[in-house]
Amino acid sequence: MPSKRRPTRPRSAAVTLAVGLAAALLGSAAPAAAAPNGPAAAASNAGPVVLVGGSLADDRIYDEIVRLAGGGDARIGVITASSRPESEDPDAGTPDCNNSRCNGEYYVDLLEAHGAGEAEWIPVDLDHPENAESAEVAARVGDMTGFLFGGGDQYRYVTTLLRGDRHEDSAVLAAVRERAAAGAVVAGTSAGAVIQQAGPMVTGGDSHPAIVDGSSPGYFEDPGVLGYVPEGGFGFFSHGLVDTHFAERGRQGRMARLALDTGQDRVFGVDEDTALVASADGGLRVVGSGAVHVLDLRGTSAGSDQGVWTATGVRWTSLTHGDTYRADTWTAFPSADKSDLVPESGDVRRGRDVFSSPDARPGEPGQMLRLARELVDSTTRTSAHGLSHERWPRLRVDLSLDARSTGYRGADEAVSFTDVRVDIGPA
């Protein structure tokens, strides 16, 4: 049964009130001098961008952020406006707190523990939307060498740091953009990574309803609906669409649908506890315990079969720690510790929950990735398929290897692959 779409709005009445206040304040503020919108300014970045897939724990990623920001001389601003505000947290002021202030303090302590000279929470959130236009707060941002945007809900970044329907920079975001143009690192985890993209920005959705119902511009109360912001996010990353918690939550389907619906030809999906480090020259590098996935849709055809949307010819590349990628040439390179994968197993188990449904999760998360890795390591198979947990309709994903497909195995047994073909349609 199709998901019921609701008017674009945040997902709680309390957030609705706060977002409305933020939009009113930002929308009525006088524009800062020469403050371009995010996507228009993307090409001016000189500093690196670090996109983390969420659940950040790997010391190598924190070390990388601090190093890029200047090590012991780093001054890092922490922005957690995507978290719920302190006023809405019943555990505020306790060790169980989960709000913008205490989350910001958590990141400040971690960054300083990893060697940053100084880290500071930037007090812009739904409790303090007016601070986004504060000259004093913008001045504090003006001498920082790096920024870390925390996780939560990326739409809160839109409503606090961008000016209403104009999608223009607030004073604080303009100051961050000026520092990035001068070489400061911009890092984000989960929602803080998604908001950095220039292209249409996903705001929610699960793969099965996304494939069946398609995408719609906006932000929806039903978290299963595939919504997006057409204007994109802040525009610091312009090489493709971005999504996080990628393999763990089976988001390949939702992002293939969003990209094809909006005319995009590349998606970067970042796994949990994993970072994609992008330099200004178009070079990208993987750091962390999971993988970064690239969906290449240049040769993909979208259609319909039995009334169900189909995608034919998606090319999937999955890269692990140390691997690199050139965005300008669409080329992946294995890390020095990896060698060509020599298949060792004949077993490929069929996936019965290929999109890792939030309603099921009967096995380990990331079942489509598991299926693909078993396929490239198989001595007997060149194709495999998985089924969605959801029925009405049940969906099928076919994976296949051809002359373009390659696999690599690292000294730590990490498996990377390139150009696995993906076809999506009804079972």
Side-chain angles (χ1 to χ4, degrees):
M1 184 175 181
S3 301
K4 182 179 179 182
R5 293 183 172 83
R6 306 190 183 187
T8 301
R9 61 181 182 180
R11 294 177 184 140
S12 75
V15 175
T16 300
L17 178 61
V19 168
L21 174 61
L25 288 165
L26 296 181
S28 62
N37 64 25
S44 66
N45 286 6
V49 177
V50 181
L51 307 177
V52 184
S55 302
L56 175 54
D58 197 314
D59 287 339
R60 294 173 294 184
I61 298 175
Y62 283 110
D63 290 343
E64 183 74 2
I65 294 170
V66 171
R67 182 187 71 79
L68 291 170
D73 295 324
R75 293 197 67 249
I76 302 176
V78 175
I79 301 176
T80 52
S82 63
S83 296
R84 63 179 171 177
E86 192 173 21
S87 62
E88 292 183 15
D89 181 9
D91 296 316
T94 76
D96 297 323
C97 64
N98 182 10
N99 60 68
S100 53
R101 180 183 294 275
C102 75
N103 292 347
E105 292 169 352
Y106 168 83
Y107 286 123
V108 164
D109 291 344
L110 274 172
L111 290 166
E112 292 182 347
H114 282 81
E118 183 181 353
E120 176 184 349
W121 179 56
I122 306 301
V124 176
D125 61 9
L126 290 175
D127 277 347
H128 310 90
E130 69 282 357
N131 284 350
E133 298 293 356
S134 164
E136 178 184 353
V137 176
R140 286 159 59 185
V141 167
D143 64 351
M144 291 179 169
T145 61
F147 303 92
L148 174 61
F149 291 78
D153 185 333
Q154 56 264 31
Y155 198 70
R156 289 188 178 117
Y157 282 128
V158 173
T159 57
T160 53
L161 286 166
L162 288 167
R163 292 189 177 120
D165 292 339
R166 290 177 291 166
H167 212 73
E168 295 174 347
D169 290 355
S170 63
V172 167
L173 184 56
V176 171
R177 197 176 304 282
E178 182 176 346
R179 294 303 302 142
V185 59
V186 175
T189 180
S190 191
V194 174
I195 192 63
Q196 308 308 334
Q197 67 192 290
M201 184 188 74
V202 66
T203 59
D206 298 321
S207 280
H208 185 273
I211 290 168
V212 173
D213 298 338
S215 61
S216 296
Y219 179 90
F220 299 93
E221 186 173 277
D222 182 347
V225 174
L226 179 57
Y228 68 97
V229 176
E231 300 84 357
F234 295 159
F236 290 112
F237 182 86
S238 58
H239 301 303
L241 302 188
V242 175
D243 205 354
T244 56
H245 305 277
F246 197 69
E248 292 85 359
R249 300 185 185 179
R251 287 179 165 170
Q252 297 93 333
R254 85 170 187 176
M255 291 308 292
R257 182 75 203 245
L258 178 60
L260 290 167
D261 280 0
T262 57
Q264 307 297 307
D265 57 13
R266 184 161 54 187
V267 171
F268 292 91
V270 189
D271 284 352
E272 295 173 359
D273 202 28
T274 309
L276 178 64
V277 181
S279 62
D281 67 358
L284 295 90
R285 178 166 45 91
V286 180
V287 179
S289 62
V292 172
H293 309 274
V294 185
L295 302 184
D296 178 351
L297 298 119
R298 289 176 296 176
T300 302
S301 298
S304 178
D305 182 5
Q306 303 173 52
V308 177
W309 182 85
T310 62
T312 305
V314 179
R315 308 300 299 206
W316 177 15
T317 290
S318 178
L319 306 175
T320 56
H321 181 76
D323 294 342
T324 57
Y325 183 88
R326 288 294 312 181
D328 50 356
T329 63
W330 298 68
T331 308
F333 303 91
S335 61
D337 74 307
K338 292 187 177 73
S339 55
D340 290 350
L341 187 150
V342 178
E344 297 178 351
S345 171
D347 181 38
V348 181
R349 295 168 292 162
R350 187 175 69 178
R352 296 184 180 277
D353 181 19
V354 73
F355 294 123
S356 299
S357 168
D359 298 323
R361 305 220 179 211
E364 75 278 7
Q367 289 200 35
M368 192 187 299
L369 178 59
R370 185 268 303 165
L371 188 66
R373 285 176 171 169
E374 289 182 0
L375 179 61
V376 298
D377 197 29
S378 174
T379 59
T380 61
R381 301 280 296 277
T382 59
S383 65
H385 75 272
L387 303 174
S388 66
H389 166 75
E390 297 88 350
R391 299 173 180 266
W392 322 117
R394 173 160 278 182
L395 301 176
R396 172 172 168 143
V397 175
D398 287 284
L399 306 179
S400 56
L401 309 180
D402 57 25
R404 294 170 55 182
S405 309
T406 58
Y408 304 96
R409 195 191 308 274
D412 59 356
E413 297 299 313
V415 171
S416 301
F417 58 81
T418 68
D419 276 308
V420 169
R421 177 174 167 139
V422 182
D423 300 318
I424 302 171

